[in-house]
């Protein structure tokens, strides 16, 4: 390891953010042919998997606050890929729905994402790729956050 890279090895947060920026740029480059950014593709994909989630549920799944989610949704709503609809059971709650054009765009971008994912697996290794996703899922979990925020009970 080069000396200038060692500075990132002392802080997990800095190392993950640095890697996330690099990986985000690489995936963005691959997905950009669809006209979407990686964050937009992830959002469309989460909505598709969640089948009309509420804004709150979607924000929780993405580990985002509602204002950041709203900011990210705006261009997708403007471009006609997503719409907000009132919840049938609770008219105060809003649900997020992919439009037909949003579903088509998400599927188009999925082909490009698959190329990026396959490239990552090829370079990093399929097993290591799975393991890093599993480790990051633990870190992104509510349980981890609760334990991290809990007061230190050591004497």
């Amino acid at each position: 390891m080069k000396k200038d890279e060692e500075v990132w090895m002392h802080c997990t947060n800095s190392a993950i953010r640095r890697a996330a920026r690099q990986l985000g740029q690489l995936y963005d480059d691959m997905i950009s042919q669809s006209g979407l950014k990686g964050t937009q593709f992830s959002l469309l994909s989460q909505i598709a998997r969640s089948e009309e989630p509420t804004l709150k549920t979607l924000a929780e799944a993405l580990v985002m606050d509602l204002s950041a989610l709203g900011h990210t949704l705006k261009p997708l709503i403007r471009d006609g890929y997503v719409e907000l609809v009132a919840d049938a059971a609770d008219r105060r709650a809003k649900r997020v729905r992919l439009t037909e054009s949003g579903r088509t765009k998400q599927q188009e971008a999925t082909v490009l994402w698959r190329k990026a994912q396959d490239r990552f697996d090829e370079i990093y290794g399929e097993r290591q790729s799975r393991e890093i996703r599993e480790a990051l899922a633990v870190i992104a979990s509510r349980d981890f956050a609760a334990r991290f925020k809990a007061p230190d009970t050591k004497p």
Side-chain angles (χ1 to χ4, degrees):
M1 179 177 310
K2 296 178 187 173
K3 184 148 180 82
D4 61 332
E5 291 175 352
E6 290 177 17
V7 70
W8 299 103
M9 298 308 291
H10 76 283
C11 177
T12 304
N13 181 49
S14 295
I16 288 174
R17 285 176 180 259
R18 184 173 183 242
R21 282 191 299 273
Q22 167 99 338
L23 197 57
Q25 290 168 3
L26 294 169
Y27 273 65
D28 276 350
D29 288 347
M30 297 286 275
I31 293 169
S32 68
Q33 296 171 36
S34 71
L36 295 175
K37 296 177 182 173
T39 52
Q40 293 172 321
F41 168 71
S42 293
L43 187 51
L44 291 178
S45 296
Q46 185 64 42
I47 295 166
R49 280 190 299 275
S50 301
E51 300 178 5
E52 295 188 21
T54 64
L55 285 169
K56 183 180 181 206
T57 303
L58 184 58
E60 288 171 357
L62 295 167
V63 192
M64 296 176 83
D65 62 47
L66 283 170
S67 63
L69 176 61
H71 178 75
T72 308
L73 280 172
K74 279 183 184 179
L76 297 172
I77 293 169
R78 178 199 64 218
D79 295 341
Y81 299 139
V82 170
E83 59 188 358
L84 298 179
V85 296
D87 183 273
D90 180 358
R91 306 293 277 164
R92 295 169 297 172
K94 296 286 186 205
R95 292 198 169 271
V96 186
R97 176 189 299 160
L98 287 184
T99 63
E100 190 57 41
S101 126
R103 196 167 304 287
T104 300
K105 182 58 73 172
Q106 190 273 336
Q107 291 168 351
E108 172 191 336
T110 296
V111 173
L112 300 167
W113 167 83
R114 181 78 260 165
K115 290 179 185 177
Q117 186 63 40
D118 289 346
R119 184 73 175 138
F120 183 86
D121 289 349
E122 175 188 321
I123 295 167
Y124 194 66
E126 285 185 46
R127 180 182 55 78
Q128 295 93 323
S129 180
R130 183 184 68 256
E131 288 171 354
I132 198 170
R133 287 191 305 273
E134 290 169 356
L136 292 171
V138 169
I139 295 168
S141 73
R142 287 184 187 171
D143 182 56
F144 184 89
R147 291 176 59 209
F148 190 92
K149 292 176 184 178
D152 188 1
T153 55
K154 294 179 184 175

